[in-house]
Amino acid sequence: MKTEMKVLLYIKRSGQDKDGLSPLMGRIAVRGKNNSIAQFSCKFKVDVRLWNATAQRCTGKSRMAVMANQEIERTLLLLRQRFNELKDIKEVVSAEEVKNAYQGLAESQDTIMKLFAEHNEEYALRVGVNRSATSYYHYTNTYRHLATFLKDKYHLSDMPVKQLDENFIEDFDMYMRTVKRFMPKTILGHVNRLKSVMMLAVFRGIIPFSPFKGYRPQKPEFKQMYLTEEELGKFANMTYDTPNRNFTRDMFLFSCWTGICYCDMRALTEKNLVKAEDGSLWIHTERQKTGTPECVRLMEIPLAILEKYKGMDADGKLLPMLTKESMNRHLKKMSVMCGINRPISFHQARHTFGSIICLSQGIPIETVSKIMGHKHIKTTQRYAKVTQDKIDRDVDRLNEAIGGKFSLFGIDASPSTIRKDNTRRRVNPSWKQRAIVKQMMEG
């Protein structure tokens, strides 16, 4: 049996105020396999004197009548959309479900915040296994901002997943940019996390494709993450004013010469040290972020740092690390002391390893990718940037390699005096030009 919906609008005369305005109410009637009725409030008032019960509209062309009729049309259109969406995903639709979908409750269907909450619950179970607590915090933060956006922009607590389209994404982007005043990198993070949740909706068959398919976010401006050779020299040869800052310098330099990130450095123990057949010492570990193996040979500077802090950690770790927040605060002040005109963060050590220590010294990017424990070489390309010094050295080596190998016969002869005579060049006009000339001659 075909399922149909009808909506009856009426005014609640018992709620009339002193200005003669009464709340507009509605009754949804769904006819099909199961007949059902549900009443709802349209959440606006109309003038009792203008109301036409037969037409279910306000009569006249006054401003109040026109605005009320426009709101009525919007309400009826929205109800029809919610009804059609429910019919697409359910065989039997009740009037109460249409009402809930219209009011943003939609308990019985897949909604944005409900899906996001389920995603976060599943993500929490993976923390400590193959996901970090920091990433989980970022998802909960995005969930909170999304809930605030729905309330401020749409005056809803939730809405169906199928309503999330490119306009919704653009509005969310603009909301974070203008209301929240977030930086482009922060906005990109929130948008990408919402995109991940929408991919979950695609995998579950809730929507046929991701609404982010045609969306192109504004990319943040490129910032140089690595330290140059000159900056690295200043940083390494400076003695700082507090013991914690001198310690932070050593840990930062250890990361610069090994490429090991902060969380993996904290987890290093004696078991991660492996001695090769040639007597060299290596660190073998797995990255907490991706689980990929990371194998790094310890050079002179990281070996000296390990020896300096050997046995100082109470838990038996190789390095007695401070918190990342504390180190980043120290690094910002240390960059000023070194005359580096930009703030330094601990993660920049990993970028410095990829760009200055490895790629600029002639190490192939494929090798750098394996050393840094990346799954894809595209990730390494974000870390390892080609510096101008490397370009100069490579071009010098190219010049030395091809110098004298090629020659040009006759280059020592006097230059030719023959010149092409362009005045005698024949130009073939196009058919359009010929037609114009013929028309002018006939005229």
Side-chain angles (χ1 to χ4, degrees):
M1 182 181 292
K2 187 177 179 181
T3 305
E4 295 181 347
M5 180 191 73
K6 290 185 179 180
V7 180
L8 173 67
L9 300 178
Y10 61 95
I11 58 175
K12 187 179 180 181
R13 295 186 180 274
S14 60
Q16 184 175 344
D17 59 19
K18 60 181 180 180
D19 297 324
L21 301 178
S22 293
L24 185 64
M25 306 296 291
R27 182 182 295 116
I28 303 169
V30 176
R31 299 287 183 266
K33 289 185 178 181
N34 296 325
N35 298 335
S36 56
I37 296 175
Q39 294 184 346
F40 67 96
S41 171
C42 295
K43 297 184 179 179
F44 64 92
K45 295 182 178 182
V46 297
D47 194 331
V48 176
R49 294 165 295 181
L50 301 177
W51 181 249
N52 185 328
T54 304
Q56 299 187 50
R57 298 292 189 278
C58 289
T59 56
K61 296 184 179 181
S62 64
R63 186 174 175 224
M64 181 174 290
V66 171
M67 290 180 64
N69 289 338
Q70 287 177 348
E71 193 66 26
I72 290 170
E73 294 293 343
R74 191 192 70 83
T75 300
L76 294 176
L77 178 62
L78 194 58
L79 282 167
R80 180 60 57 182
Q81 287 177 348
R82 299 297 172 267
F83 175 69
N84 292 335
E85 288 170 358
L86 288 169
K87 278 205 309 180
D88 290 340
I89 61 176
K90 298 187 68 175
E91 185 178 353
V92 179
V93 179
S94 68
E96 190 68 26
E97 288 173 335
V98 178
K99 170 190 169 183
N100 290 340
Y102 163 72
Q103 294 180 339
L105 301 176
E107 296 177 356
S108 59
Q109 63 177 318
D110 296 296
T111 61
I112 299 171
M113 300 309 295
K114 178 183 175 184
L115 184 67
F116 212 128
E118 291 176 1
H119 169 275
N120 288 356
E121 289 175 4
E122 294 174 1
Y123 201 96
L125 299 175
R126 300 170 67 181
V127 172
V129 181
N130 57 358
R131 294 292 183 271
S132 68
T134 304
S135 298
Y136 172 69
Y137 165 76
H138 288 321
Y139 272 101
T140 57
N141 199 27
T142 302
Y143 177 88
R144 181 170 53 84
H145 288 303
L146 188 62
T148 307
F149 164 71
L150 283 171
K151 184 177 180 181
D152 293 349
K153 178 68 177 179
Y154 299 99
H155 307 290
L156 298 173
S157 60
D158 206 347
M159 65 168 53
V161 173
K162 290 188 176 182
Q163 282 188 254
L164 198 155
D165 53 12
E166 194 169 336
N167 290 331
F168 181 96
I169 300 166
E170 293 285 356
D171 290 341
F172 186 44
D173 185 298
M174 184 61 67
Y175 172 79
M176 292 186 289
R177 200 174 303 278
T178 56
V179 178
K180 294 294 184 178
R181 301 283 184 178
F182 289 155
M183 298 296 289
K185 189 175 181 180
T186 305
I187 295 171
L188 187 61
H190 287 304
V191 170
N192 283 339
R193 284 185 282 275
L194 179 59
K195 182 179 179 180
S196 298
V197 175
M198 287 303 104
M199 287 306 299
L200 178 62
V202 175
F203 297 150
R204 291 185 179 182
I206 301 171
I207 51 178
F209 57 87
S210 173
F212 287 83
K213 191 174 182 179
Y215 174 71
R216 295 293 179 267
Q218 179 184 345
K219 298 292 181 67
E221 294 181 4
F222 169 76
K223 293 183 180 179
Q224 181 179 316
M225 293 295 291
Y226 62 87
L227 271 65
T228 64
E229 290 186 18
E230 182 182 356
E231 290 172 339
L232 187 59
K234 287 180 181 179
F235 188 87
N237 296 315
M238 171 74 72
T239 301
Y240 299 95
D241 53 349
T242 65
N244 277 358
R245 286 176 187 167
N246 287 314
F247 170 79
T248 300
R249 178 203 61 182
D250 293 343
M251 297 303 105
F252 185 85
L253 293 176
F254 184 88
S255 183
C256 282
W257 259 267
T258 60
I260 302 175
C261 65
Y262 172 83
C263 61
D264 293 334
M265 280 179 63
R266 290 197 66 166
L268 291 177
T269 63
E270 291 284 347
K271 294 179 180 179
N272 299 117
L273 292 178
V274 178
K275 198 167 188 179
E277 294 180 357
D278 60 356
S280 60
L281 202 60
W282 292 66
I283 287 182
H284 287 197
T285 184
E286 287 187 357
R287 296 201 61 206
Q288 289 186 20
K289 184 177 181 180
T290 60
T292 54
E294 190 173 14
C295 302
V296 186
R297 179 174 176 172
L298 294 175
M299 294 176 279
E300 183 181 354
I301 290 178
L303 278 172
I305 293 172
L306 277 181
E307 188 63 30
K308 179 178 179 180
Y309 295 99
K310 185 177 180 180
M312 287 188 61
D313 189 83
D315 298 327
K317 306 291 185 182
L318 286 179
L319 298 168
M321 302 288 285
L322 297 173
T323 63
K324 190 175 183 179
E325 293 75 17
S326 177
M327 284 187 167
N328 283 334
R329 284 196 299 268
H330 287 311
L331 286 169
K332 287 180 181 179
K333 295 179 181 178
M334 291 159 69
S335 64
V336 176
M337 297 173 67
C338 293
I340 301 173
N341 59 353
R342 55 194 174 93
I344 300 175
S345 65
F346 197 89
H347 191 64
Q348 286 180 245
R350 189 165 163 83
H351 285 265
T352 304
F353 173 79
S355 299
I356 302 300
I357 305 300
C358 290
L359 196 64
S360 292
Q361 307 307 320
I363 305 297
I365 194 168
E366 294 83 3
T367 306
V368 179
S369 183
K370 290 294 182 182
I371 293 173
M372 300 183 74
H374 289 154
K375 286 185 175 181
H376 308 287
I377 200 167
K378 286 186 177 180
T379 309
T380 314
Q381 289 171 344
R382 295 204 305 265
Y383 281 77
K385 301 297 181 182
V386 179
T387 64
Q388 187 60 46
D389 291 339
K390 175 173 171 54
I391 295 173
D392 293 340
R393 287 196 294 267
D394 288 348
V395 172
D396 289 340
R397 281 197 293 268
L398 175 63
N399 188 46
E400 293 174 3
I402 66 174
K405 288 187 177 182
F406 303 94
S407 62
L408 180 60
F409 179 76
I411 191 64
D412 297 330
S414 58
S416 173
T417 57
I418 299 175
R419 297 288 185 271
K420 189 172 183 180
D421 188 2
N422 291 325
T423 60
R424 301 180 64 184
R425 182 182 177 189
R426 182 179 177 182
V427 178
N428 294 324
S430 66
W431 68 270
K432 286 186 177 180
Q433 292 172 331
R434 289 197 297 268
I436 292 172
V437 172
K438 183 178 179 181
Q439 185 178 5
M440 291 173 63
M441 292 179 66
E442 291 176 353

